[in-house]
Amino acid sequence: MEQTMRTVDLFVTTSLRGSAKGPGRVMYILRTTLKSGKVHESTPEVAEYDDTSERKLILLAARDALTHMNFACMIVLHTECDYITSVLCQGWLTRWQQSGWRNSRGKEVKDACLWSMLLQDLEEDGHVLTAVTEKHEFVDWMRWKMQVAQPYTNMFAKLDEKPDWQQG
């Protein structure tokens, strides 16, 4: 009997937009439907970084979100960033990896190390990641909440914690 992958929605919003660089915050929420049919949403995760960009924030959030998954999942990343969606949906990651992390113009891919680590995380755990560019249902709330929430200064400082929402 073939087992289907559970779909997990990953909703990400950042305080930086477009090509802006500097201090920024990222927030994400995971949502899935449990075997019982109940929809479950994780507690929002917030992180803050000093020297960053919208793309880096999204990549860091995606990598952190993967640590909450106990088995291979189909992950749908909901973001307002067209670039991230293009990379994930148009096969850029595979081409970059094959070309030694060079883009179609022969230039080094920005944030190649983060992209490489994300790809490795996905492959090791059997996850499939796709993306949708949209102003998702949490965007406005997240932008407000990021201003008042106490962020982690580094998401990866808390990786040993066991999230309680993984049961299914």
Side-chain angles (χ1 to χ4, degrees):
M1 182 170 154
E2 187 177 314
Q3 187 174 347
T4 59
M5 295 177 96
R6 177 175 294 165
T7 299
V8 176
D9 290 295
L10 169 58
F11 299 92
V12 179
T13 299
T14 67
S15 61
L16 297 175
R17 301 282 304 176
S19 61
K21 291 185 169 59
R25 288 184 173 198
V26 61
M27 178 181 275
Y28 74 85
I29 294 174
L30 294 165
R31 180 169 62 197
T32 192
T33 302
L34 304 176
K35 290 179 185 175
S36 65
K38 180 182 174 187
V39 175
H40 182 80
E41 290 176 0
S42 68
T43 303
E45 298 281 348
V46 181
E48 183 174 60
Y49 298 89
D50 290 329
D51 183 26
T52 191
S53 66
E54 178 185 33
R55 294 172 188 175
K56 277 185 184 178
L57 290 169
I58 294 168
L59 291 172
L60 290 166
R63 289 198 66 226
D64 187 66
L66 292 175
T67 67
H68 295 285
M69 302 189 196
N70 290 331
F71 44 84
C73 297
M74 167 62 80
I75 304 156
V76 181
L77 172 63
H78 300 263
T79 178
E80 292 180 279
C81 183
D82 289 323
Y83 181 81
I84 296 287
T85 300
S86 294
V87 170
L88 295 174
C89 296
Q90 295 179 16
W92 295 8
L93 273 180
T94 304
R95 287 195 298 268
W96 289 345
Q97 186 180 37
Q98 292 170 348
S99 67
W101 297 99
R102 300 265 175 210
N103 65 23
S104 60
R105 296 182 190 136
K107 295 183 179 180
E108 186 176 326
V109 172
K110 290 183 180 176
D111 305 317
C113 185
L114 279 174
W115 283 112
S116 177
M117 289 188 293
L118 176 64
L119 188 59
Q120 182 178 345
D121 293 343
L122 293 168
E123 290 172 351
E124 284 178 1
D125 295 328
H127 300 299
V128 176
L129 178 62
T130 188
V132 177
T133 301
E134 65 179 353
K135 183 175 179 180
H136 58 74
E137 63 196 83
F138 297 108
V139 166
D140 293 331
W141 177 81
M142 285 178 158
R143 287 215 174 99
W144 171 81
K145 188 69 172 169
M146 274 191 291
Q147 295 174 27
V148 296
Q150 182 66 24
Y152 293 105
T153 53
N154 182 343
M155 285 179 172
F156 296 103
K158 61 174 181 54
L159 289 183
D160 291 336
E161 294 179 19
K162 296 288 183 200
D164 61 354
W165 78 282
Q166 300 172 348
Q167 311 309 51

